[in-house]
Amino acid sequence: MDTADCVKSTLSSSGADIISIGKSAAGEDVLCAHRGDYSGGQIIITAAIHARECCTAHVVLKQIQEYEGNGGVYFIPLVNPDGARFFEGRDIPGFPVLGRNEKNRLIWKANAEGVDLNVNFDANWGSGRQNVLTPGPSDFIGAYPLCAPESRFLAAFTERVMPIFTLSYHCMGGELYWEYGQSGNRLRRDRKIAAAIATEIGVKKVDGHLFSAGGFKDYCIQKLKIPSVTVELIKTGSHPFYEKDIADDIEKNARLPEFITRLMRTI
């Protein structure tokens, strides 16, 4: 069973409230599960915005199954289902860029259109150090901000929910990124949140802007003014990674949503 099918199967039997936040470029539902109360500030947790990092979906699936908190959490385990299927060996007809990149399956980060979703958000779009201007495995910014359906639907959903915090899972590096031009009280608040989460799951908090642009975290911080972190799992190694490679991270992060909901009540 590939990751996309595993997500569908696990969510259908989870007992959580399940919705689709929109359709991927190839027409697949981007599924979201909700646990906890709907009243009060909500949290959004995402994973697998990059195809070759689809193993991170299993961290979020475990969290959905384990969650026992009261605070409301929206879990989106697989933001990029088309890219994940391509990475895992499935053909997706109707997208020529995929046919031209058969040799790049195992390094593929983009969606089916060759847009890197995590540089397609409206936050200094197109100004990243590694941005490229043509479709391909990674770093293509797209024709304009939110041109990719997956990033567009995720942004719209986030604006509709207006969460008090977002967390995104990537791999690799064993690091946590949290900073994107905040200042004053926001900077102090977000540094405190980032430090607590990094300590809880045993990753390194990395300070600084780091020449990022167009990422989901960047958008949440810059446009929505909410604290947001990116966690890079798997401390060392090289792509491709699979579920077995992330087993330790699955256990270390299983109860993180409860920790975050408690933490946000103290901020």
Side-chain angles (χ1 to χ4, degrees):
M1 183 183 299
D2 65 20
T3 300
D5 287 339
C6 182
V7 167
K8 290 179 180 179
S9 175
T10 302
L11 293 189
S12 68
S13 61
S14 68
D17 295 336
I18 309 299
I19 62 170
S20 170
I21 69 166
K23 299 282 189 180
S24 69
E28 188 144 357
D29 284 313
V30 179
L31 296 173
C32 174
H34 185 272
R35 291 282 200 191
D37 295 336
Y38 284 97
S39 60
Q42 303 291 298
I43 290 168
I44 293 177
I45 299 178
T46 72
I49 199 169
H50 284 149
R52 73 181 187 184
E53 300 167 17
C54 61
C55 62
T56 58
H58 295 284
V59 175
V60 179
L61 292 178
K62 179 70 168 179
Q63 292 175 339
I64 295 167
Q65 294 169 315
E66 296 283 327
Y67 188 68
E68 295 178 348
N70 293 321
V73 185
Y74 289 95
F75 301 90
I76 308 173
L78 185 58
V79 176
N80 185 4
D82 302 343
R85 288 195 189 278
F86 180 67
F87 164 77
E88 293 181 319
R90 297 276 290 273
D91 291 329
I92 305 176
F95 295 92
V97 67
L98 299 181
R100 295 193 298 269
N101 280 276
E102 175 66 31
K103 66 181 184 301
N104 291 319
R105 278 186 188 266
L106 296 184
I107 61 168
W108 192 262
K109 295 170 71 175
N111 74 346
E113 299 169 317
V115 177
D116 187 327
L117 302 176
N118 209 43
V119 296
N120 189 233
F121 290 86
D122 186 15
N124 297 335
W125 175 81
S127 65
R129 175 179 284 177
Q130 297 181 323
N131 287 170
V132 301
L133 302 179
T134 55
S138 67
D139 301 307
F140 173 48
I141 61 176
Y144 52 86
L146 303 180
C147 68
E150 299 90 347
S151 54
R152 183 167 63 252
F153 287 128
L154 179 55
F157 178 74
T158 304
E159 291 182 16
R160 186 163 69 250
V161 171
M162 277 307 299
I164 58 173
F165 176 80
T166 72
L167 161 66
S168 300
Y169 282 110
H170 289 248
C171 64
M172 57 168 261
E175 297 177 330
L176 181 150
Y177 308 120
W178 64 277
E179 195 172 350
Y180 202 72
Q182 309 98 307
S183 61
N185 289 336
R186 288 179 58 216
L187 182 67
R188 289 186 287 273
R189 175 200 66 186
D190 294 0
R191 181 185 291 117
K192 179 180 178 181
I193 295 169
I197 293 173
T199 299
E200 176 69 12
I201 59 175
V203 298
K204 178 184 177 182
K205 178 176 73 70
V206 178
D207 300 334
H209 188 288
L210 303 179
F211 302 99
S212 177
F216 179 60
K217 168 189 70 69
D218 310 335
Y219 153 81
C220 289
I221 294 171
Q222 185 183 85
K223 297 296 183 181
L224 304 185
K225 312 298 184 186
I226 59 176
S228 178
V229 304
T230 294
V231 172
E232 297 276 358
L233 301 173
I234 306 180
K235 290 185 178 180
T236 60
S238 59
H239 291 280
F241 295 115
Y242 301 99
E243 182 181 2
K244 63 181 176 59
D245 300 308
I246 211 164
D248 288 345
D249 289 306
I250 290 173
E251 294 306 316
K252 288 178 181 177
N253 286 266
R255 294 290 185 177
L256 186 60
E258 287 98 323
F259 176 83
I260 293 172
T261 58
R262 293 193 301 270
L263 173 65
M264 295 306 294
R265 288 196 290 268
T266 71
I267 299 301

